[in-house]
Amino acid sequence: MSINPPSQDEEIPAVNEPEQNQAQTKAGQGVSNFWEKIVRLGLGESALRIGASVVSIVLFLVVIWIMATFYLKAAHSDVGSVAAATTAEENTTSGADVAAPVFDVSSVVNYDKGITRLADLHTTLPSHPRFEVIQYEVQKGDTLFAIAEKFALKPETLLWGNSEILGDDPHRLTPGQKLNILPVDGVYYQWHDGDGLNGVAKYLHVTPEDIIDWPSNNLTKESVGDYANPNIKAGTMLVIPGGSREFVTWSAPRITRENPGVAKIQGPGACGVITEGAVGTGTFIWPTTDRTLSGYDYSPSTNHFGIDIAGDLGYPIYAADNGVVVYSGWNDWGYGNVIVIDHGNGWQTLYAHLSVVGVGCGASVYQGGQIGSMGSTGNSTGPHLHFEMLSDQYGKVNPWNFLQ
């Protein structure tokens, strides 16, 4: 065996392990010396914090790079899948029709644990507009105002819808009566022979079209024909929406001591010739011991031109001021027993529904003197005093504004 020595042209690397170890030791000592200098300067803790931050940033960037690479590959994979699915669908569609697979709902949805709808036996239905007239039976304790409020109507509409029953007198309201309840505020009018549509419309402050266009009246311009002589059968009841009319006067007229005979139409309590008598002071006191309202207040809109003062049967009734009695006795228009006093200075007072009339025609009475007793005669639902005041200058006034 022969060993050929290397030629002069070949370079043999020199490996000196002791020299490498010595270099590494020197590098480590350099780093150690450098760190020792930093610590001596008091910057050791700051250097550690900076180093930790740098390492955290590097790690964060590495994580982002890995995630971006992963999702990018996934996106490319999804695009490929969609393309493959589309190609498959086109191939399927181009062939023969394939029946859709049966979808079993019970295998997907568990209805036993779903949201249930509770049955409500008191479902509130939305209100619909009413066009027809309905009937209402008056109950004990009802008033014109309460019934009107129940049906969202004005009190005067009840009077104008029941003129034959109430006669424009709210005191005629009694339990058991059947009242017409209009669908809207207005008048319930009975057609008469000779009525003209223009005339009726003018009387009730509406237009002929207001009457024709109301659905329950069942009228058209063609069926009505000539407005002056319309084809409307006598006795036909028509709803006049928005209509109004003057009330029939049922309260006492102005009765003077010079002419008390004007009250003959009121009833047997009318007086004959009267001589002069006491004259009032112009101030008025309360005509009974109670000063609270019982029933109707002063309300011209419902044809009630007085106040109903509370009290019990037999309460004393006093003259509100000096004067002469110009009516004493029964009133046929629903007032029952009535006393009317003319005060001789343009004022008149009325006291109605009395149980006892204590003074006669022509008698002079004086402020605060008893003239009768409280009752419930005539159209009355209980003991009270219906009290009115009338002035030659102001007409029928609100007693609340004058009683002291």
Side-chain angles (χ1 to χ4, degrees), residues 8-22:
Q8 294 178 354
D9 295 335
E10 292 180 356
E11 181 178 353
I12 300 174
V15 178
N16 193 337
E17 292 182 0
E19 290 181 359
Q20 289 182 352
N21 293 335
Q22 185 177 4

Side-chain angles (χ1 to χ4, degrees), residues 95-143:
D97 292 339
V98 178
V102 178
F103 181 69
D104 186 5
V105 178
S106 61
S107 64
V108 180
V109 182
N110 187 353
Y111 286 99
D112 293 338
K113 297 180 181 179
I115 299 174
T116 59
R117 176 189 286 269
L118 298 178
D120 186 359
L121 301 179
H122 303 283
T123 303
T124 301
L125 296 176
S127 60
H128 299 285
R130 177 169 61 89
F131 298 104
E132 303 292 336
V133 176
I134 61 175
Q135 297 285 312
Y136 174 76
E137 182 174 344
V138 179
Q139 306 297 313
K140 184 177 181 180
D142 274 345
T143 66

Side-chain angles (χ1 to χ4, degrees), residues 356-380:
V356 175
V357 175
V359 290
C361 288
S364 288
V365 295
Y366 299 93
Q367 189 177 69
Q370 184 172 350
I371 58 175
S373 300
M374 183 175 293
S376 185
T377 56
N379 295 330
S380 172

Side-chain angles (χ1 to χ4, degrees), residues 153-154 156-157 160 182-189 200-207 209-211 214 217 238-245:
L153 296 172
K154 296 179 180 178
E156 51 265 39
T157 295
W160 291 331
L182 272 62
V184 292
D185 283 313
V187 178
Y188 202 29
Y189 182 78
V200 170
K202 183 178 180 180
Y203 170 64
L204 298 177
H205 306 101
V206 297
T207 66
E209 289 70 28
D210 291 330
I211 302 175
W214 187 255
N217 289 339
L238 300 175
V239 175
I240 315 297
S244 62
R245 62 169 174 76

